[in-house]
Amino acid sequence: MIWNDRPAEPRNWPIADAMASDPAVDATWLAPDRTDYPAMRILITAAQIQKRLSEMAAVLAPAYRDRPLTIVGVLTGSVMFLADLVRRLDMPLRIGLIQASSYRGETTTSGELYVSPGLMPDVRDRHVLLLDDILDTGQTLKRLVQDLRDQGALSVKVCVLLQKKGRQIHHVEVELVGFEIPDEFVVGYGLDYNDEYRQLPYIAVLPAI
Ligand code: IMP
Ligand code: MG
């Protein structure tokens, strides 16, 4: 590729070691010049995630069989989870996406939540399975469940890949959880830090770099 713009500063990218050690990750994904950076501390490997998704799909498929199902993913964190899960659901379903952003000021831990109205899928007379990457305080999911009910969904159930232990403040009934994790800040498989690291195929605790 030929680039005419100024090259960005080289960045530390703690990806290679962790990916290389995971048999579920295709070694050809690895950039060969990125082996000298610190490794992530992997909490859940790509193989563990994929195995758990098959188990989750086996629970969900019979529960929604013969029901008009719309799977609604919360942007952006749920995109990997959504994409991998729906490919295991061999049944008619629709996919919707919803965007929610919380404004968290410096003095408050949970601020206003803004839900983009333009993206709201039409869920009238549909059963909704709401997917998110992680249940933390519960603020986001509590609000979205209410919004989807208000839109006329027949039912709204919640499924999260991760649930952080001891963090829930807002009560949300969760139907299915992939993994319970300790109260640590994690990235990968959709989860971000400053909008980066989402593409990692595993869940890891971000090292101090
Ligand atoms: P809640 O509304 O407090 O439950 O927060 C949910 C959102 O916070 C998630 O959808 C994530 O975007 C974000 N979040 C919470 N914990 C983490 C984490 O450990 N890593 C990355 N994002 C997180
Ligand atoms: Mg999120």
Side-chain angles (χ1 to χ4, degrees):
M1 260 183 274
I2 298 176
W3 300 102
N4 294 321
D5 56 348
R6 193 161 50 87
E9 287 292 304
R11 293 269 316 275
N12 272 358
W13 182 252
I15 188 172
D17 292 352
M19 287 178 74
S21 63
D22 190 327
V25 175
D26 187 332
T28 59
W29 293 358
L30 300 178
D33 57 347
R34 288 187 166 161
T35 51
D36 52 338
Y37 300 134
M40 296 266 187
R41 180 158 66 81
I42 297 190
L43 216 53
I44 308 168
T45 65
Q48 287 170 326
I49 294 172
Q50 296 305 320
K51 177 168 176 280
R52 181 70 184 127
L53 292 185
S54 295
E55 294 169 0
M56 293 170 88
V59 172
L60 295 169
Y64 285 100
R65 180 109 32 231
D66 302 323
R67 291 195 163 90
L69 170 63
T70 300
I71 296 197
V72 175
V74 183
L75 288 171
T76 305
S78 73
V79 291
M80 314 289 164
F81 180 35
L82 173 80
D84 282 346
L85 186 69
V86 292
R87 279 179 283 181
R88 289 166 161 87
L89 294 172
D90 187 16
M91 56 197 283
L93 59 85
R94 293 183 188 164
I95 295 174
L97 293 166
I98 228 171
Q99 188 172 35
S101 21
S102 47
Y103 299 108
R104 292 185 179 183
E106 275 168 31
T107 51
T108 53
T109 47
S110 60
E112 288 282 298
L113 193 78
Y114 174 76
V115 181
S116 301
L119 266 182
M120 194 60 104
D122 183 1
V123 295
R124 261 169 305 168
D125 303 322
R126 314 267 315 161
H127 291 277
V128 171
L129 181 67
L130 183 58
L131 294 191
D132 206 358
D133 50 2
I134 188 164
L135 176 67
D136 188 22
T137 68
Q139 187 199 21
T140 312
L141 286 169
K142 186 178 181 167
R143 161 75 188 275
L144 294 178
V145 167
Q146 195 52 55
D147 283 9
L148 289 159
R149 286 206 177 114
D150 293 347
Q151 303 278 317
L154 293 175
S155 69
V156 182
K157 295 191 189 293
V158 175
C159 173
V160 290
L161 182 69
L162 307 177
Q163 177 168 4
K164 250 188 216 181
K165 271 185 228 160
R167 288 276 302 169
Q168 283 79 63
I169 302 169
H170 306 271
H171 178 72
V172 182
E173 220 162 282
V174 181
E175 204 65 23
L176 191 57
V177 174
F179 302 91
E180 268 206 2
I181 62 162
D183 185 6
E184 289 192 277
F185 194 82
V186 291
V187 295
Y189 202 72
L191 292 127
D192 72 302
Y193 171 69
N194 272 349
D195 248 340
E196 291 190 337
Y197 304 106
R198 293 192 198 273
Q199 82 273 33
L200 303 182
Y202 49 80
I203 306 279
V205 179
L206 194 65
I209 45 174

